[in-house]
Amino acid sequence: MALELSKEETLEKRKRLIGQSCRLFYSDDPVKIVRARGQYLYDENGKRYLDCISNVQHVGHCHPSITKAAAAQMDLLNTNSRFLHDNIVLYAERLAATLPERLCVFYFVNSGSEANDLALRLAQQYTQHEDVIVLDHAYHGHLKSLIDISPYKFRKLTGQKEWVHVAPLPDTYSGMYREDHPNPGQAYADTVKDLIEEVHRKGRKISAFFAESLPSVGGQIILPHGYSTKVAEYVRSAGGVFVADEVQTGFGRLGSHFWAFQQQGESFCPDIVTMGKPMGNGHPLACVATTEEIAGAFTANGVEYFNTFGGNPVSCAIGLAVLDVIEKEDLRGNATRVGAHLKDLLTKLQTRHRIIGDVRGAGLFAGIELVKDREKRTPATETAALLVKRLKEEDKICISTDGPWESVVKFKPPMCFSMEDADLVVQCIDRILTGYRSNKFIQFTWQNMLLPCTNSDHCGDSLCLCYGLFFSRVHSYIRAPTDLK
Ligand SMILES: Cc1ncc(COP(=O)(O)O)c(C=O)c1O
């Protein structure tokens, strides 16, 4: 039995023992979570938090069916995939049923990063080319090979390698072609075509185009219609393959489709699909699905692919249980219904708060982009950060931001998120944004003076006047985001 530590002790040990580049959510006042169920997290004092962040605990935290399947298999056998076992083949068969027929060969690994690294190897081996095209602001994992193809990371590190080429993010809200463009799908696909021609002029060759099927790190971007089909056509005619990163978006999160790439239409099929996060509901389980031709080329190099933990009986038992729960509890149906309700509420909110520039997403993968002004679409980064902080402190709601300027407030909760949960989050966002607007004019009413200060905990402002109740509203004004002042 592990020792129980106070929150301060945990924090002190974490600072001392864990690499400081492994950051915590809410780093100035982290939440210590000791148990969880469904869409709720509980801290060491039993306080309940609504979780809008955990796309990993896909069917709900600590789902009893998943725990039961894991424990039963753990009790019976766990070994590596060099022994013949039913689970891996039964699981591969179930996954194959969710995918287009040509994606019929599977490699099981332990993380999204491992899946993308293997996808890179498969593509390079099959095409015998080296170069990769990625979307701007993309993130595909923490391995060195993936930092190299993740502009979100390499821009802060050693920079762009000569074999990596960055295409514009097909963002029809703040990108180069917007919602008023007659055919943004074609226009953005043409930027990839131009990039391929440029690569060829340099005497280089494309092995792969890598993209999230719904770019999440880029800010919950819905790819414009026709984009992927056209890009796949250009990339294939250059001898490359199309890799769809479904690490965040797969397993029915969009409700309408099991895989986000399917949003692009029946005729579109990637050559490689990578999956991870939600696959094991928190257990490290990830996978690469590809075609017989690509897998064949990988086999033909004569080198064994061995992964100690990938596809072990326990992981596959968990994967099978996740698929069962998605079906039995109609979680795709729930994502469709609750996602539509959430989007509807957020769209109504947008009519009242000019700071909400855009509402987008599909199913339980949604986002609101906050802007300082609607015409210029300048990101309201500071408000987004404060909104996240206040939702956690005042309402016990955990939510995060993303996008190139961290101005997109993201919703990717466990798939059991309910209508009532959606109502609550939107009401709280409304209250906070309304408060910021009215704080522009400090109202010294008695009622205001008696309100407890919401920001007193960790105020680092040297000029802060936050001394108890009297100055609470003054303090809120001082701390109100300059985006809104
Ligand atoms: C789109 C995408 N791909 C790949 C990864 C890497 O997955 P992992 O952290 O499991 O290695 C992530 C992780 O955040 C991701 O968001």
Side-chain angles (χ1 to χ4, degrees), residues 6-231:
S6 72
K7 183 172 168 182
E8 292 67 34
E9 284 168 334
T10 314
L11 202 53
E12 183 280 318
K13 284 187 197 294
R14 173 143 182 150
K15 278 188 185 147
R16 187 159 46 82
L17 298 166
I18 308 297
Q20 287 302 295
S21 48
C22 306
R23 295 202 191 132
L24 289 163
F25 285 136
Y26 314 108
S27 54
D28 56 347
D29 181 23
V31 188
K32 182 173 174 180
I33 298 300
V34 296
R35 67 186 177 90
R37 200 74 166 183
Q39 63 274 48
Y40 302 112
L41 306 161
Y42 298 85
D43 74 8
E44 75 284 11
N45 299 315
K47 257 190 231 154
R48 192 179 90 168
Y49 290 75
L50 176 62
D51 185 357
C52 301
I53 294 182
S54 299
N55 56 348
V56 172
Q57 281 70 24
H58 193 60
V59 303
H61 290 273
C62 305
H63 193 291
S65 304
I66 312 299
T67 315
K68 208 169 136 198
Q73 186 59 52
M74 189 84 102
D75 197 38
L76 193 64
L77 169 78
N78 200 16
T79 175
N80 75 51
S81 51
R82 274 182 179 148
F83 289 107
L84 193 61
H85 194 271
D86 289 349
N87 288 6
I88 189 168
V89 291
L90 293 174
Y91 187 37
E93 209 166 53
R94 287 282 296 279
L95 287 175
T98 68
L99 286 159
E101 232 171 279
R102 60 188 291 264
L103 295 170
C104 58
V105 184
F106 298 85
Y107 299 87
F108 291 100
V109 296
N110 310 290
S111 67
S113 296
E114 272 192 30
N116 280 333
D117 181 72
L118 178 58
L120 196 59
R121 285 182 64 193
L122 289 169
Q124 290 177 336
Q125 177 70 33
Y126 175 69
T127 61
Q128 292 294 303
H129 300 169
E130 187 188 11
D131 289 23
V132 172
I133 298 179
V134 288
L135 293 180
D136 207 355
H137 309 295
Y139 175 67
H140 293 292
H142 61 82
L143 300 188
K144 195 176 168 302
S145 59
L146 305 169
I147 298 296
D148 285 347
I149 65 162
S150 299
Y152 167 76
K153 291 283 179 195
F154 71 60
R155 293 236 162 88
K156 296 177 199 155
L157 293 164
T158 48
Q160 192 169 339
K161 297 280 189 300
E162 74 286 356
W163 55 275
V164 177
H165 312 280
V166 180
L169 183 66
D171 174 358
T172 53
Y173 180 69
S174 4
M176 61 197 283
Y177 304 116
R178 298 189 172 179
E179 66 282 354
D180 55 354
H181 191 282
N183 191 350
Q186 180 68 60
Y188 277 112
D190 284 345
T191 64
V192 177
K193 187 171 169 235
D194 295 344
L195 202 52
I196 294 173
E197 283 163 10
E198 203 182 305
V199 171
H200 286 173
R201 279 197 293 275
K202 289 181 190 158
R204 309 188 65 95
K205 289 186 172 148
I206 301 295
S207 71
F209 172 84
F210 255 81
E212 275 194 272
S213 301
L214 199 158
S216 57
V217 181
Q220 309 293 78
I221 307 298
I222 304 270
L223 297 179
H225 187 70
Y227 176 77
S228 302
T229 308
K230 273 286 153 195
V231 169

